[in-house]
Amino acid sequence: MEPETETGIVNVSDRTLRALYGYQMKRTFNVIQSDLSRTLKPFDLRMLTYTALVLIVDNPGLRQSQLAEAMDIERPNLVVIVDELERRDLIIRDRLPSDRRAYALKATLAGRRLCEKAIAAVMEHEKMLLNGISKDALSVATKVMQMIESNRQRED
Amino acid sequence: MEPETETGIVNVSDRTLRALYGYQMKRTFNVIQSDLSRTLKPFDLRMLTYTALVLIVDNPGLRQSQLAEAMDIERPNLVVIVDELERRDLIIRDRLPSDRRAYALKATLAGRRLCEKAIAAVMEHEKMLLNGISKDALSVATKVMQMIESNRQRED
DNA sequence: TATTGTTATACTCTATAACTATA
DNA sequence: TATAGTTATAGAGTATAACAATA
């Protein structure tokens, strides 16, 4: 006599739905990811290059290791992303005088301009995706996500 | 004079944070994904094989095409997942008498037992991840995710 | 010795076209 | 002709070890 919830085309019991909390989040993330990819295509950006560009524009002088940590990816995987942005003259790698191992990442004027346009497009699409969701509900959802993140169990 | 929010190690303005709504969700999904992977390792399951198994146990007779749609992946990518579960005798592929092209997927006794154990382990870990989050807040967050999913703009 | 960025590499997940067997 | 499942394959994204340069 368990309640059932419609999720896609199959019905799962509420107990099972709780066991699939990652499954709901993955479905939702897929939606956002694919919408974002389509929105960013005209700018020749992917989610990863877009995120990196936005963070560099917002944090001039950021190091690659900091950016990798912020984006939650490994340093080796960031190299190709920064390479691509640099090759397109959207950012530059400046040597830090204080630590000649590291780079200070800075957006170029072209990078800042592209970033502005991309952000505007993303926000426009976001409106459609978040249609019917109250400001309060969205705020609660964001807090829940931040709580989950802070509850992360780092492996030892 | 923009407010700033701590996200990882870099500060981003609230406007920028809104432009990175996918970024927050990705970070959160990464946390859930990696926690889930670690939890499922003792059962020799990944997120995909776990999700497939749970859905088959909960929906006996499910077809592969239905399962693929439920899991939001392409049919070809499901084949290897079903192959693996079948090879481990956790599920069987039953021919449908009414449509000999399709398979009815059913869990074996071993599959149902492993599924039960895996769900228990996942729920135990979920408690830690959702620590400090009220039932109401979680419910709101889930509804928001479902709303986003239903707002999906299918490409034509 | 430790850290920054790098290369190489392997693995997982994803996406598409084309095939077979049934309908 | 259309659909269910399959094969082959290519492309993203991710994770790890090992290296050079610098601290």
Side-chain angles (χ1 to χ4, degrees):
Chain A
M1 211 60 104
E2 287 196 48
E4 302 229 326
T5 308
E6 174 75 13
T7 323
I9 56 167
V10 300
N11 288 318
V12 295
S13 67
D14 275 10
R15 174 171 182 276
T16 306
L17 194 58
R18 257 183 293 137
L20 293 176
Y21 66 109
Y23 160 78
Q24 173 64 62
M25 180 152 276
K26 185 177 189 178
R27 289 182 66 95
T28 310
F29 179 65
N30 278 356
V31 171
I32 290 175
Q33 164 103 305
S34 71
D35 181 77
L36 207 50
S37 297
R38 230 177 319 148
T39 306
L40 293 173
K41 203 161 205 172
F43 306 101
D44 207 7
L45 290 169
R46 291 163 293 138
M47 182 160 181
L48 283 169
T49 49
Y50 168 75
T51 304
L53 181 58
V54 171
L55 289 173
I56 292 168
V57 167
D58 218 42
N59 296 269
L62 200 65
R63 290 168 173 225
Q64 286 190 201
S65 54
Q66 293 176 307
L67 181 56
E69 187 171 340
M71 290 177 66
D72 209 9
I73 62 177
E74 298 301 318
R75 265 82 73 210
N77 297 325
L78 182 64
V79 174
V80 287
I81 295 167
V82 172
D83 278 352
E84 185 179 329
L85 293 174
E86 190 185 36
R87 186 180 41 74
R88 291 176 59 191
D89 295 320
L90 300 173
I91 64 160
I92 54 165
R93 283 193 244 229
D94 244 9
R95 278 286 177 204
L96 271 177
S98 56
D99 185 345
R100 292 180 42 73
R101 291 171 303 182
Y103 288 119
L105 302 175
K106 293 171 188 167
T108 63
L109 181 58
R112 288 195 296 276
R113 281 181 177 156
L114 184 70
C115 189
E116 275 307 307
K117 284 183 203 159
I119 285 179
V122 166
M123 284 189 161
E124 195 56 39
H125 273 250
E126 188 184 2
K127 268 189 214 160
M128 294 195 288
L129 227 45
L130 301 181
N131 188 33
I133 300 171
S134 75
K135 220 169 178 175
D136 281 355
L138 196 61
S139 160
V140 169
T142 303
K143 283 216 181 66
V144 164
M145 290 197 286
Q146 287 167 346
M147 288 283 287
I148 289 174
E149 205 180 329
S150 69
N151 283 340
R152 169 171 230 163
Q153 305 277 329
R154 287 275 178 199
E155 51 270 60
D156 321 307
Chain B
M1 210 61 102
E2 287 197 50
E4 303 229 326
T5 308
E6 174 74 14
T7 324
I9 55 166
V10 299
N11 289 317
V12 295
S13 68
D14 275 10
R15 173 170 182 276
T16 306
L17 194 59
R18 256 183 293 135
L20 293 176
Y21 67 109
Y23 160 77
Q24 173 64 61
M25 179 150 278
K26 185 175 190 181
R27 290 182 65 95
T28 310
F29 179 64
N30 279 355
V31 171
I32 289 175
Q33 164 103 304
S34 72
D35 180 77
L36 207 50
S37 297
R38 230 177 318 148
T39 305
L40 293 173
K41 204 160 206 174
F43 306 100
D44 207 8
L45 291 169
R46 289 162 295 138
M47 183 160 181
L48 284 170
T49 49
Y50 167 76
T51 304
L53 181 58
V54 171
L55 288 173
I56 292 168
V57 167
D58 218 42
N59 296 270
L62 200 66
R63 290 168 173 226
Q64 285 189 204
S65 54
Q66 292 175 308
L67 181 55
E69 186 171 340
M71 290 178 66
D72 210 8
I73 62 178
E74 298 301 316
R75 266 82 73 212
N77 296 325
L78 183 63
V79 175
V80 287
I81 294 168
V82 172
D83 278 351
E84 184 179 330
L85 293 174
E86 191 186 36
R87 185 179 42 74
R88 291 176 59 190
D89 295 319
L90 300 174
I91 65 161
I92 55 165
R93 282 193 246 229
D94 245 8
R95 277 286 177 204
L96 271 177
S98 57
D99 186 344
R100 292 180 42 72
R101 290 172 304 182
Y103 287 119
L105 302 175
K106 292 170 188 168
T108 63
L109 181 58
R112 288 194 297 276
R113 282 184 177 154
L114 185 70
C115 190
E116 275 308 307
K117 284 183 204 159
I119 285 178
V122 166
M123 285 189 162
E124 195 57 40
H125 272 252
E126 189 184 359
K127 267 188 215 160
M128 292 194 290
L129 227 44
L130 301 182
N131 187 33
I133 301 171
S134 76
K135 220 169 179 174
D136 280 356
L138 197 60
S139 160
V140 169
T142 303
K143 283 215 182 65
V144 165
M145 289 196 287
Q146 287 167 348
M147 288 283 288
I148 289 174
E149 205 180 328
S150 69
N151 283 340
R152 170 172 228 163
Q153 306 277 329
R154 288 271 176 201
E155 51 269 62
D156 322 308

